[in-house]
Amino acid sequence: SLQFVRHNLRAREGAEAEVRRRQESLQLLLDSAAEGLYGVDTDGRCTFINRSALHMLGYEHEADLVGHRIHDLIHHTHADGRPYPAHDCRMYQAHRSGEPVHVNDEVFWRRDGRAFQVKYWSHPVLRDGQIRGAVATFFDITERLHTQAALHDSQQRLARLVDTVADGVVSIDPERRIL
């Protein structure tokens, strides 16, 4: 009987070690992603977050977000300063409707109160046919938007310059065809 108990304890310890190993492997996988990743339950509470998300959002520890309503911490206000109530948030559509959501015109807020432009996706998490939450992935697209704006400005300046030239202007391609 004592041997049976020892055997069961060893089996249990082995199973617990395997669960820990798998959790560590999953966290390593999440932390290797360049995009921010986090999960929420149906109440909007953060269930996990990866290193990239923590870095972009200005947090050091998972515990700063896990268990908290993430909308209230990172998505509470529109870029123009208007409040952004969670019930209006497009990200939450994924776990309300069960449909994935893709958004590229909103901001997240860093811990220090600075906003940054994001592109994000939110996908529902289903278990036994029931919505249990959502997983969000996001990128900081601030630099890309600045680059696009600078390119647009440069194109506008070039167009104005060409329009003011009194001489004729012809553009040709590498094969010397007139464009």
Side-chain angles (χ1 to χ4, degrees), residues 101-160:
V101 175
H102 174 222
V103 177
N104 59 8
D105 62 351
E106 291 185 358
V107 297
F108 282 175
W109 294 86
R110 290 186 175 90
R111 184 177 201 164
D112 65 8
R114 292 181 297 132
F116 63 101
Q117 298 280 325
V118 292
K119 180 178 209 173
Y120 69 78
W121 295 260
S122 184
H123 296 273
V125 172
L126 301 172
R127 195 173 303 124
D128 300 324
Q130 299 291 315
I131 298 172
R132 302 295 184 189
V135 172
T137 61
F138 68 94
F139 290 98
D140 179 345
I141 60 170
T142 306
E143 186 175 323
R144 184 175 79 190
L145 293 175
H146 288 305
T147 301
Q148 288 173 342
L151 178 60
H152 180 264
D153 290 346
S154 175
Q155 290 170 333
Q156 294 298 321
R157 282 192 305 276
L158 180 60
R160 284 191 303 273

Side-chain angles (χ1 to χ4, degrees), residues 38-48 57 65-78 84-103 106-108 120-126 131-137:
Y38 67 87
V40 294
D41 62 17
T42 55
D43 292 325
R45 296 188 188 287
C46 183
T47 56
F48 71 86
L57 295 167
L65 295 164
V66 172
H68 300 278
R69 291 181 49 90
I70 199 157
H71 179 87
D72 298 341
L73 297 172
I74 71 167
H75 206 201
H76 49 76
T77 306
H78 290 282
Y84 196 3
H87 64 274
D88 291 341
C89 180
R90 292 185 279 173
M91 183 174 285
Y92 282 93
Q93 290 174 3
H95 74 273
R96 284 194 302 253
S97 70
E99 296 294 321
V101 175
H102 174 222
V103 177
E106 291 185 358
V107 297
F108 282 175
Y120 69 78
W121 295 260
S122 184
H123 296 273
V125 172
L126 301 172
I131 298 172
R132 302 295 184 189
V135 172
T137 61

Side-chain angles (χ1 to χ4, degrees), residues 12-85:
R12 182 174 163 191
E13 288 170 354
E16 288 171 353
E18 179 63 16
V19 167
R20 278 192 305 276
R21 188 189 66 73
R22 288 182 183 208
Q23 286 174 332
E24 289 168 0
S25 293
L26 178 58
Q27 191 64 48
L28 286 172
L29 175 66
L30 291 172
D31 288 343
S32 71
E35 67 266 44
L37 290 157
Y38 67 87
V40 294
D41 62 17
T42 55
D43 292 325
R45 296 188 188 287
C46 183
T47 56
F48 71 86
I49 190 161
N50 74 343
R51 286 271 151 227
S52 292
L54 288 171
H55 176 74
M56 282 185 264
L57 295 167
Y59 289 87
E60 292 184 35
H61 307 286
E62 291 176 36
D64 294 331
L65 295 164
V66 172
H68 300 278
R69 291 181 49 90
I70 199 157
H71 179 87
D72 298 341
L73 297 172
I74 71 167
H75 206 201
H76 49 76
T77 306
H78 290 282
D80 63 7
R82 289 178 295 123
Y84 196 3

